[in-house]
Amino acid sequence: MTEKNVDYLGRRYNYYSPGKKERFKNIGDALSLKGDAENFINPSSVLSFMMKNYIIGDETLVKGIKREPWMHEYDDSSSSFNECHLPKHSNIVMEASDIGLRLKELLLDEVRGFLEGKQSIGVLLSGGMDSRVAAGIIRELQVRGEYLGDVVALTWGITETRDVRYASEIAKLFKWEFVHFPLSADLLIDNITLTAEMGAEFSPLHLHAMHDISKVKGLDGILAGSYGDSVGRAEFSGVKVDQIKSILDSDFNKFGLLSSAVEKDFMNNISFEVDKYRSQFPRECDWQYYEIERQCHYMRRQLSACMDLIDDRIPLYQMFTAPSVFGFMWSLSPECRNDDVYVEVLKTLPGNLLSIPWARDGKIYPSTGLAMDELQTSHNLYGLWLRRDCSELINNALCSDALERINLFNPYTLKAIKNSWKKSKLNSADRLDERVAWMASLSIFIDKYNIQASTDYDATATDFVRSAQGKMYSYIYR
């Protein structure tokens, strides 16, 4: 059986149990197949999340349940997965104007495929550049008469922030319906539970208003641009592609939250997941490997996985992920994959979209001149909401026996963290906030699916020392 878009970067990855044919869209169904069998926690996945904020590789939080392997196609006849062709990296040098024209044509062709047969579509629109390019591509197809259906711009965020204001301006410019989904503390509380129901594989801070968007009526599909930065601008979390390091070079597991034995016993499992894909998709130099790592692990297991919540009800497509698109960008020298490419693309799209500032800093893209307004940059107050409105929920989770029951967390740190994590005064969420929010989801997940411990660790003197070190690190970090 040939699956549609199986070799696309942004496709959905289902759940399965090795040795069984069935595949499932959500982890609840995968666990139900096991019937009365006990569900055991996967320590390497907990360690992975504490290190990176996502799970590296194909594992889930439950032993015996996996995600389909990255860039593989399932073969019904053999009940196995076969590698897809992955475009090669190269070092072709082209002018930004030529790259922009070529990329635009490839994106037009990609979006034509998404729009085919659809009468009404939504586009996730923010004040950033990726969704702006997506909007411009859709509008160009409308202007050409190639798409005659309706378009609805879908935007989340606090009112009067740059993302909301700029997205509204673009929708008005294109005469599209604009639907704004406010973010709030109540929504964040709901997302903590939703994250648990989805397997607690990412922080609830990444779900935003996706559940509300999934309930919009009358849409045949939704287009997202989450992969734009990584493919179109060759940037990951603000770092250019030729400057990134291996995902294992940085470890954020410094708050003393895990038992000291977990890292000792399970770090090799995480290294295995990284090495497995490095051997399956060989490259010529390190930065090329590292780009594949970011797509395979970070983009797939964090940013893309969150949007399964929308895809459960409305088919969601990630733009910039067709092999023709990312294959072309990978063929270019890293020095050519820069902000100028977006400038060239946007110059040729309808609406003079470069005249609307960039939400990142309120300046004309790419960060030219002075900020054009004094609007708030961040579209949320997750840090404030977590510490003020969600603190009871989180503390109850931290103090419940669920986290103790799986026997992976440092008991000395668990006792202390319920008071210390709230001491930040920032409106935004930091790494510690993100972890305690996830731990709240994990606690709910453990109770909901009756997850059991798979290890038997006793607290040691090393755990006491690590807890003290973690407390000091938290203080210095903040």
Side-chain angles (χ1 to χ4, degrees):
M1 179 181 70
T2 301
E3 298 180 68
K4 186 178 181 181
N5 297 349
V6 71
D7 55 351
Y8 283 48
L9 281 180
R11 75 172 178 89
R12 182 170 186 151
Y13 288 85
N14 294 317
Y15 294 89
Y16 76 103
S17 294
K20 296 183 179 179
K21 288 189 174 183
E22 296 88 349
R23 290 174 294 155
F24 304 93
K25 291 182 70 174
N26 61 71
I27 194 167
D29 290 340
L31 290 173
S32 68
L33 181 68
K34 296 177 67 178
D36 296 330
E38 288 187 308
N39 300 316
F40 294 100
I41 195 72
N42 189 335
S44 63
S45 294
V46 177
L47 172 61
S48 180
F49 192 95
M50 283 298 175
M51 291 177 61
K52 306 302 301 184
N53 287 337
Y54 52 89
I55 298 174
I56 293 172
D58 307 330
E59 299 292 335
T60 69
L61 286 170
V62 182
K63 284 190 170 184
I65 303 291
K66 292 177 175 286
R67 287 276 196 155
E68 292 173 324
W70 183 69
M71 298 302 271
H72 282 65
E73 181 177 14
Y74 183 71
D75 184 348
D76 269 331
S77 61
S78 62
S79 299
S80 61
F81 294 93
N82 300 321
E83 293 176 18
C84 298
H85 169 73
L86 191 66
K88 294 293 186 182
H89 283 78
S90 190
N91 285 290
I92 297 172
V93 176
M94 294 175 61
E95 294 293 330
S97 57
D98 295 329
I99 297 172
L101 288 174
R102 178 60 179 155
L103 178 58
K104 174 186 170 181
E105 290 305 315
L106 292 170
L107 292 174
L108 285 168
D109 189 55
E110 179 183 30
V111 175
R112 282 189 193 99
F114 163 74
L115 295 175
E116 185 177 355
K118 295 180 174 63
Q119 300 301 313
S120 180
I121 61 108
V123 56
L124 299 184
L125 186 59
S126 70
M129 303 313 296
D130 304 323
S131 66
R132 192 173 307 190
V133 171
I137 291 291
I138 295 171
R139 184 58 181 167
E140 170 121 340
L141 292 170
Q142 286 185 311
V143 171
R144 293 184 181 189
E146 295 185 49
Y147 181 63
L148 304 178
D150 298 323
V151 181
V152 180
L154 309 166
T155 300
W156 60 64
I158 301 172
T159 305
E160 291 306 305
T161 55
R162 284 175 175 150
D163 274 308
V164 176
R165 173 74 68 83
Y166 300 163
S168 175
E169 290 180 19
I170 294 170
K172 183 178 180 180
L173 181 69
F174 291 162
K175 297 181 173 58
W176 292 346
E177 180 183 353
F178 177 72
V179 184
H180 171 221
F181 299 85
L183 299 180
S184 67
D186 288 340
L187 189 66
L188 180 55
I189 290 172
D190 291 341
N191 285 345
I192 290 173
T193 301
L194 278 171
T195 298
E197 293 173 355
M198 295 177 67
E201 296 176 12
F202 43 77
S203 168
L205 305 186
H206 296 296
L207 283 184
H208 307 301
M210 294 183 193
H211 190 230
D212 289 338
I213 287 176
S214 74
K215 294 184 284 188
V216 174
K217 303 295 184 182
L219 297 180
D220 300 316
I222 291 178
L223 185 71
S226 308
Y227 282 74
D229 272 353
S230 63
V231 174
R233 299 173 55 242
E235 182 179 296
F236 295 88
S237 302
V239 181
K240 300 303 292 185
V241 69
D242 56 346
Q243 299 298 315
I244 58 177
K245 305 297 183 183
S246 170
I247 58 173
L248 295 183
D249 278 7
S250 58
D251 176 8
F252 303 140
N253 180 31
K254 299 176 181 178
F255 297 104
L257 290 165
L258 286 182
S259 166
S260 58
V262 175
E263 186 167 0
K264 175 184 175 182
D265 291 349
F266 294 98
M267 187 61 203
N268 285 341
N269 295 26
I270 297 175
S271 298
F272 171 80
E273 290 290 322
V274 174
D275 293 341
K276 176 181 69 176
Y277 281 109
R278 186 177 178 113
S279 64
Q280 287 178 351
F281 299 107
R283 301 285 113 163
E284 294 182 354
C285 58
D286 281 343
W287 72 261
Q288 296 170 358
Y289 280 113
Y290 300 155
E291 178 165 23
I292 287 177
E293 284 181 359
R294 294 305 194 282
Q295 292 293 352
C296 173
H297 306 294
Y298 166 59
M299 295 297 294
R300 172 175 66 132
R301 296 308 306 269
Q302 179 170 283
L303 295 186
S304 184
C306 300
M307 294 197 175
D308 288 351
L309 186 58
I310 298 176
D311 190 64
D312 282 340
R313 299 190 183 194
I314 305 173
L316 182 134
Y317 178 79
Q318 289 282 6
M319 189 170 150
F320 297 96
T321 69
S324 58
V325 175
F326 74 85
F328 169 63
M329 298 308 294
W330 283 9
S331 74
L332 302 172
S333 171
E335 67 189 45
C336 298
R337 300 168 62 188
N338 54 44
D339 294 339
D340 292 340
V341 173
Y342 268 10
V343 171
E344 295 299 326
V345 171
L346 289 165
K347 278 165 55 175
T348 66
L349 292 174
N352 191 21
L353 295 177
L354 285 170
S355 66
I356 299 174
W358 191 11
R360 185 175 295 186
D361 54 20
K363 301 177 182 180
I364 296 300
Y365 182 82
S367 298
T368 303
L370 301 175
M372 305 287 285
D373 54 54
E374 297 182 356
L375 293 171
Q376 183 175 320
T377 298
S378 177
H379 60 62
N380 67 75
L381 299 173
Y382 284 150
L384 173 65
W385 294 335
L386 277 172
R387 302 179 210 111
R388 184 189 66 193
D389 304 272
C390 306
S391 61
E392 182 178 358
L393 170 64
I394 290 175
N395 279 340
N396 286 341
L398 295 178
C399 296
S400 76
D401 67 347
L403 297 182
E404 292 183 11
R405 192 162 70 241
I406 62 171
N407 199 33
L408 297 176
F409 289 95
N410 187 331
Y412 300 110
T413 307
L414 282 181
K415 291 177 182 178
I417 197 174
K418 66 179 182 179
N419 295 317
S420 63
W421 76 270
K422 295 185 291 185
K423 291 184 177 179
S424 174
K425 302 299 182 183
L426 295 176
N427 287 334
S428 59
D430 61 24
R431 290 175 189 163
L432 184 55
D433 293 320
E434 189 156 10
R435 274 157 184 74
V436 296
W438 174 73
M439 289 168 69
S441 294
L442 176 63
S443 176
I444 297 170
F445 171 76
I446 291 168
D447 282 335
K448 179 177 179 63
Y449 296 108
N450 192 27
I451 308 299
Q452 303 298 314
S454 57
T455 57
D456 186 18
Y457 295 134
D458 293 321
T460 65
T462 302
D463 290 320
F464 181 80
V465 173
R466 288 283 293 270
S467 179
Q469 292 173 335
K471 185 176 180 180
M472 181 61 67
Y473 175 79
S474 302
Y475 176 79
I476 295 171
Y477 168 69
R478 283 181 155 173

